[in-house]
Amino acid sequence: MAGLTSAAFLAKSGHSVLLLEKHEKVGGCVNSFQRDGYVFEGGIRAVENSGVLLPMLRQLDIEMELVKNDVSIGLGNEVITLRSIDSLADYQSLLAKSFPGDAGDIATIFSAIRKISGYMDVLYGIDNPLFLDMKKDRKYLVKVLLPWLFKYLMTIRKIERLKEPVRDYLDRISDNESLVDVIAQHFFRDTPAFFALGYLKIYLDYYYPRGGVQTLPDRLMNRISDLGGEARVKTEVKAVDPQLRQVSDQEGNTYAYKKLVWAADLKTLYRVLDVDSIEDRQTRANIIAKRKAMADKKGGESVFTLYLCVDLDREYFADIATEHLFYTPYSRGLLAAHRIETTSKEETAGSLKEYFRYNTYEIACPVLRDPDLAPAGKTGLIVSTLFDYAVAREIFDKGWYEKFKLLGENTIVDVLNETIYPGIKDRIVGQFSSTPLTLLREHGNSEGAITGWAFTNKEIPVETRLPRIANSVRTPVPDVFQAGQWVFSPAGLPVSILTGKLAADAVTRDL
Ligand SMILES: Cc1cc2nc3c(=O)[nH]c(=O)nc-3n(C[C@H](O)[C@H](O)[C@H](O)COP(=O)(O)OP(=O)(O)OC[C@H]3O[C@@H](n4cnc5c(N)ncnc54)[C@H](O)[C@@H]3O)c2cc1C
């Protein structure tokens, strides 16, 4: 999305644009694929606006049908749907039912969530000014933007104080480890409190492109072509020569550039960059320092995903939850099962079962948003849990990979069958899964990370301050810019779009 956004805005500014993509289709983590007549998402399950996506589409004159995507939250036998900010009360009582002795702590947690939701209102409450044409929108500038800017600056300060990991934040409120787990295990390890607790507000702002999320990158690509831009798929950049200002692909083809926007994994950029070719000593030293700062930093958690083809009508699922459900089967929470032991095959199998059983699942049901996305009378389900790349890699190296995938798939099916979807097990007509290794292979993101750098890194090697996000697209390499989920933290779809636009603006200014 970062590369596509950059390319589209550069083409719109009249520049000659070439987009190189290693995969056979564009979109990266925003992609859909077909299996036996079922359409599934390979990455993000639905897209949030966050004051960024819709204004970007508008500014590029891209029309696309977006279906509202309602998010449900489930615990055990109870499911609630987030339809407005008032639905937080439903989530609060759902937790209070499962943890009747902790009503006071839960109230304190929800009062924090409401406060942070207010901050999110300010942050994403207006269309991001980056996508406005200030010359045309003078009235907007004076009446909306300037008053907002004042509130924004006040809010940013408050948010800066809530960067503590969400688990530590909740631990200070409650000593019930299960309660803390059931809330915090939705998020990556050490996710900052404001980002995790503010997400409930962001869930209200999710959409689904009709036809599948792939429609979004496809429409952007069409627009780039209309504007005269070009794309080459199945073209992997294998070398960047900053002195000659050219890149080479896997077949040795070379492409000259005036400006390069790197919109993929950042460690890869510094690996394929020919630093020695740079004549200026200081520039060389700056690049080497940057490469060193990233070398030992890790990508964030990835996911294990189970794909199910089910011989049940969509109505069966519509009666239970909405199209996008965050479901925790057991109120025990992960507790010690957070750690997966890999010393012996038996121990690994045992701890994996526990991990899959007590975790939280993100369950998406494409056919509930668009009836054309599965054969008549059938339903496709996408069920995922966060999963650590290092564990999947170790299992692969030990030769247990296929068994591990099957164990994960079957454990999740058993849990769904005994909890939220009774009888589903006998109606499954197809199943397969993907792991962090799949995501690494597909998109080339270090550790199969789905949103850039891990919050557990001692230092994040890129910009983390929202007011300074414009700096995030600069690199120490002359005429090379960067965009996407690796250039700012915390990241996700909106940051990829924002940094894509910022990189395009910086290039346009320079040219
Ligand atoms: C399962 C899942 C769920 C998610 N859920 C959410 C969510 O709910 N909310 C949210 O905000 N975000 C979510 N995300 C994250 C979000 O989708 C990504 O952060 C965002 O789409 C990343 O976009 P990007 O352009 O920065 O990078 P990518 O999508 O990784 O794109 C990089 C592109 O570069 C290509 N590439 C890589 N190396 C090379 C090379 N050497 N040469 C040529 N091409 C190359 C890749 O093939 C890819 O197409 C999720 C991601 C996943 C996988």
Side-chain angles (χ1 to χ4, degrees):
M1 285 301 295
L4 288 162
T5 307
S6 248
F9 279 103
L10 284 168
K12 193 175 175 221
S13 304
H15 299 297
S16 157
V17 179
L18 173 65
L19 185 135
L20 301 176
E21 165 57 54
K22 83 176 179 70
H23 206 273
E24 63 192 19
K25 60 186 185 203
V26 296
C29 296
V30 182
N31 77 85
S32 314
F33 63 94
Q34 270 220 36
R35 210 28 117 88
D36 302 330
Y38 298 81
V39 172
F40 293 112
E41 263 63 59
I44 194 168
R45 314 309 190 212
V47 291
E48 70 266 42
N49 173 31
S50 301
V52 169
L53 173 67
L54 300 181
M56 177 272 275
L57 292 173
R58 254 195 318 271
Q59 215 184 20
L60 288 170
D61 295 320
I62 296 176
E63 281 189 16
M64 199 169 74
E65 192 178 349
L66 289 163
V67 183
K68 186 83 186 77
N69 178 83
D70 282 330
V71 170
S72 302
I73 297 180
L75 177 58
N77 294 327
E78 300 270 331
V79 176
I80 62 106
T81 297
L82 297 171
R83 296 204 192 276
S84 72
I85 199 67
D86 297 336
S87 312
L88 283 179
D90 302 333
Y91 185 22
Q92 182 173 346
S93 32
L94 173 137
L95 287 173
K97 260 191 210 160
S98 287
F99 300 97
D102 299 283
D105 292 347
I106 293 171
T108 310
I109 292 168
F110 273 79
S111 129
I113 291 176
R114 285 191 182 87
K115 196 170 68 185
I116 294 170
S117 297
Y119 300 160
M120 291 292 163
D121 261 347
V122 175
L123 231 49
Y124 301 122
I126 67 163
D127 287 354
N128 195 292
L130 200 63
F131 297 97
L132 292 174
D133 183 343
M134 289 306 167
K135 282 185 212 115
K136 277 195 204 148
D137 293 305
R138 284 250 166 249
K139 226 161 107 193
Y140 186 85
L141 176 77
V142 178
K143 290 230 152 107
V144 181
L145 199 57
L146 291 178
W148 171 81
L149 207 59
F150 180 71
K151 278 199 270 178
Y152 169 80
L153 290 173
M154 302 295 287
T155 305
I156 283 286
R157 275 212 218 137
K158 291 177 190 152
I159 283 177
E160 284 293 318
R161 283 185 236 126
L162 286 162
K163 276 194 165 173
E164 171 186 23
V166 63
R167 183 169 294 275
D168 297 353
Y169 182 87
L170 295 175
D171 274 343
R172 285 195 288 104
I173 298 175
S174 171
D175 53 16
N176 184 338
E177 222 183 311
S178 291
L179 170 65
V180 170
D181 259 352
V182 160
I183 300 171
Q185 71 192 29
H186 283 238
F187 307 103
F188 303 109
R189 231 168 287 149
D190 289 359
T191 300
F194 82 87
F195 197 56
L197 302 180
Y199 230 90
L200 290 161
K201 173 77 190 172
I202 295 175
Y203 284 153
L204 296 173
D205 202 20
Y206 267 74
Y207 297 85
Y208 188 77
R210 192 174 282 283
V213 300
Q214 183 73 45
T215 310
L216 172 59
D218 285 352
R219 289 289 160 84
L220 265 163
M221 194 55 242
N222 290 344
R223 188 75 188 115
I224 293 166
S225 305
D226 290 346
L227 291 164
E230 223 192 295
R232 283 190 200 188
V233 292
K234 294 193 205 159
T235 305
E236 181 170 0
V237 175
K238 289 286 197 185
V240 176
D241 184 330
Q243 194 64 34
L244 288 180
R245 287 176 175 56
Q246 71 175 27
V247 301
S248 329
D249 68 16
Q250 75 279 10
E251 282 168 10
N253 301 311
T254 56
Y255 310 85
Y257 63 81
K258 269 193 197 154
K259 305 282 170 190
L260 173 71
V261 177
W262 183 270
D265 183 70
L266 268 194
K267 279 190 190 172
T268 307
L269 168 62
Y270 286 91
R271 198 170 52 241
V272 302
L273 191 72
D274 182 1
V275 184
D276 297 336
S277 74
I278 293 182
E279 280 159 14
D280 182 66
R281 257 182 61 199
Q282 188 55 50
T283 307
R284 228 170 33 231
N286 291 346
I287 297 171
I288 290 167
K290 198 77 190 161
R291 181 166 67 192
K292 201 162 157 227
M294 285 185 193
D296 61 342
K297 306 296 185 303
K298 296 263 180 298
E301 275 152 289
S302 187
V303 287
F304 177 91
T305 303
L306 165 66
Y307 293 92
L308 290 176
C309 309
V310 189
D311 183 14
L312 281 169
D313 193 79
R314 60 205 280 264
E315 293 309 323
Y316 169 90
F317 296 94
D319 284 345
I320 294 171
T322 60
E323 52 271 21
H324 200 163
L325 166 67
F326 290 85
Y327 181 61
T328 311
Y330 305 103
S331 59
R332 189 202 88 155
L334 272 168
L335 301 181
H338 271 292
R339 232 187 2 266
I340 299 171
E341 304 294 345
T342 48
T343 35
S344 73
K345 205 168 175 178
E346 292 68 33
E347 205 174 26
T348 309
S351 65
L352 277 174
K353 266 193 197 156
E354 285 251 306
Y355 182 80
F356 285 120
R357 199 170 178 76
Y358 293 108
N359 217 325
T360 294
Y361 307 145
E362 180 175 4
I363 305 179
C365 187
V367 81
L368 284 185
R369 295 117 160 183
D370 177 348
D372 295 336
L373 300 184
K378 302 207 171 19
T379 301
L381 279 190
I382 310 166
V383 187
S384 51
T385 62
L386 293 177
F387 204 89
D388 202 25
Y389 172 83
V391 175
R393 181 80 232 175
E394 194 177 340
I395 288 171
F396 181 87
D397 290 343
K398 286 180 169 162
W400 307 333
Y401 188 60
E402 291 307 323
K403 281 208 172 114
F404 143 70
K405 282 179 69 175
L406 207 58
L407 181 145
E409 290 175 23
N410 292 341
T411 307
I412 294 174
V413 167
D414 284 341
V415 169
L416 294 178
N417 194 58
E418 72 193 46
T419 57
I420 190 151
Y421 301 131
I424 194 174
K425 195 171 174 175
D426 296 329
R427 308 300 287 272
I428 293 170
V429 291
Q431 76 179 52
F432 56 98
S433 54
S434 77
T435 75
L437 304 192
T438 323
L439 294 184
L440 169 63
R441 186 192 67 218
E442 290 288 301
H443 314 303
N445 286 315
S446 293
E447 285 90 35
I450 67 171
T451 58
W453 301 105
F455 297 118
T456 46
N457 285 310
K458 273 214 178 89
E459 260 176 56
I460 307 271
V462 292
E463 187 56 69
T464 60
R465 296 157 298 183
L466 201 51
R468 304 206 181 170
I469 191 168
N471 296 336
S472 68
V473 300
R474 299 263 168 197
T475 77
V477 193
D479 295 321
V480 177
F481 296 79
Q482 58 185 19
Q485 59 179 359
W486 294 99
V487 315
F488 183 86
S489 180
L493 182 82
V495 158
S496 294
I497 297 173
L498 268 180
T499 53
K501 171 72 161 68
L502 285 165
D505 289 351
V507 167
T508 301
R509 262 198 309 274
D510 272 21
L511 284 173

